[in-house]
Amino acid sequence: DSGTISVEISISSSDTGEGINVNTLGSKDKNYIVRWQQILDMCGVPRENDFKTEDGEVINLQHRIIACWNDYLDEDDTRTAIEGVECGAEKEDYEEYYDEHEDDYAEEDRFEPANGEIADLKELSRVLCFREYPAVLTGGVLNPWENKKDQITISRGLVNMGILGVSGDGKVNVNRCSSDLLMTVPGVFDEEELEDDDRPESRDAAEAIVKCRKIKPAGYDVPEDREEWGYGEYTSDWWSDLTTRLSEEFDLDIGQEAKEYLTARPDSGVVYRMKITASLMAMQYAAETECYVKDKKVRYISWKEY
């Protein structure tokens, strides 16, 4: 009789998870290196340790890009090392670069690591590795100083691939995403296939997730004229729905680790953020959730209790 319950409801972000927030692809994610490698592989950036810079130095270009981005994003002044080699860039490296190219950049076009998130993908052009190799962002010839037969052409730059964004929690929405986006998710791609350019098993798993959205699941009491049935729209557990459909339709399994990088948001409509707090004397219980309304029922995307 002396307890109270309060409910706070607000409209959540409209972000649908159709792209990966690039700000989440840093060292706070234990898998950020391998996720970047997947993205750079799709972009066409060579993975080998034999890329020759304009100065004749031999480097791993993917490691250079990943480490430079991490140093631009993180808050410390220590160069990121990958496989024991420091390959990132901090403030002094930027200063050295601009000193060497003083005729190429006006003062207002010279940058240093932000040590924080970016608000627009265009800001990636401020990161030192993309100043050195702009074709990675926009497409074009990666190493124009080489003989024509040794030049590498990037057909789709990072900003044109539709893979990256700057909003959201970094998770991939299984109800709206492409198979390319799913190929960046640990547990969907098989790390044992990383040296295989085609990665057939990983590609099969990613494409199966997309295809299963178009196959009506058993027990879904919904109109037959729908083109897709989103995961978790008519069940309380989207992950179980996803793995069951993959198993039944394609006899496929994906790793449990994938759940950390995936989410299942509705195909349309408003997503709400709701906080429920119950208090009784000195005790308090709370739950936070993201949810939406479908067929006059509240359906939950996430639920956290504390």
Side-chain angles (χ1 to χ4, degrees):
D1 292 337
S2 59
T4 62
I5 295 178
S6 65
V7 179
E8 304 170 44
I9 302 175
S10 60
I11 294 178
S12 186
S13 166
S14 61
D15 178 77
T16 60
E18 293 178 78
I20 303 169
N21 184 347
V22 69
N23 295 304
T24 66
L25 291 173
S27 54
K28 291 182 180 179
D29 177 358
K30 64 181 184 297
N31 290 309
Y32 84 102
I33 293 176
V34 71
R35 296 193 76 197
W36 262 116
Q37 287 176 321
Q38 287 287 94
I39 294 169
L40 293 172
D41 283 349
M42 285 187 278
C43 189
V45 178
R47 183 186 284 239
E48 294 77 15
N49 293 303
D50 59 1
F51 181 83
K52 290 184 180 180
T53 69
E54 191 170 6
D55 296 331
E57 183 183 359
V58 178
I59 65 170
N60 184 306
L61 182 56
Q62 286 201 7
H63 288 179
R64 173 66 173 170
I65 293 168
I66 297 167
C68 278
W69 165 246
N70 190 56
D71 285 338
Y72 192 86
L73 183 67
D74 68 22
E75 297 179 357
D76 63 45
D77 295 321
T78 303
R79 293 185 190 89
T80 296
I82 298 178
E83 295 183 0
V85 178
E86 285 189 358
C87 43
E90 293 291 353
K91 182 178 178 179
E92 61 188 271
D93 300 294
Y94 282 73
E95 292 173 348
E96 181 179 335
Y97 175 81
Y98 290 122
D99 286 344
E100 292 177 359
H101 299 81
E102 58 182 346
D103 295 333
D104 299 330
Y105 297 97
E107 192 64 36
E108 62 271 18
D109 293 326
R110 302 183 182 202
F111 300 96
E112 58 187 49
N115 293 338
E117 297 185 354
I118 62 173
D120 191 304
L121 278 184
K122 293 179 181 178
E123 292 179 47
L124 286 175
S125 64
R126 302 175 179 180
V127 183
L128 187 56
C129 58
F130 299 127
R131 292 260 147 145
E132 297 168 323
Y133 309 103
V136 178
L137 284 185
T138 59
V141 178
L142 191 59
N143 49 348
W145 53 85
E146 292 278 17
N147 294 326
K148 194 157 187 176
K149 65 180 181 61
D150 296 320
Q151 290 179 353
I152 300 168
T153 300
I154 303 295
S155 57
R156 288 191 304 166
L158 286 175
V159 296
N160 302 318
M161 291 179 65
I163 293 283
L164 300 176
V166 292
S167 62
D169 57 11
K171 295 189 176 184
V172 174
N173 180 11
V174 290
N175 287 337
R176 293 288 295 276
C177 65
S178 65
S179 57
D180 278 350
L181 263 175
L182 288 165
M183 286 288 286
T184 71
V185 175
V188 175
F189 70 75
D190 185 347
E191 289 197 39
E192 294 183 0
E193 284 194 308
L194 291 184
E195 301 305 320
D196 184 337
D197 291 339
D198 294 330
R199 301 187 183 115
E201 293 184 13
S202 301
R203 177 62 63 181
D204 285 348
E207 291 179 350
I209 292 173
V210 175
K211 289 176 182 176
C212 276
R213 298 196 306 242
K214 299 182 181 297
I215 302 173
K216 181 183 176 182
Y220 267 36
D221 185 17
V222 292
E224 295 286 349
D225 58 358
R226 289 186 58 177
E227 294 184 358
E228 290 197 359
W229 289 267
Y231 298 106
E233 287 189 358
Y234 292 88
T235 66
S236 59
D237 186 343
W238 67 267
W239 175 254
S240 176
D241 187 14
L242 169 65
T243 53
T244 297
R245 289 199 223 178
L246 287 177
S247 176
E248 292 178 350
E249 299 293 342
F250 294 99
D251 193 26
L252 283 173
D253 295 314
I254 60 174
Q256 180 71 24
E257 188 177 20
K259 189 175 182 181
E260 178 183 345
Y261 296 94
L262 298 174
T263 187
R265 301 177 74 86
D267 55 0
S268 61
V270 179
V271 175
Y272 298 93
R273 182 177 290 111
M274 181 163 58
K275 181 178 181 180
I276 307 164
T277 306
S279 301
L280 178 62
M281 301 178 65
M283 297 182 294
Q284 190 175 79
Y285 169 85
E288 292 184 0
T289 179
E290 279 193 313
C291 55
Y292 60 100
V293 178
K294 193 174 185 71
D295 302 327
K296 298 182 179 181
K297 292 183 179 181
V298 178
R299 305 187 183 277
Y300 296 97
I301 299 170
S302 62
W303 183 279
K304 178 183 178 182
E305 301 176 3
Y306 54 93

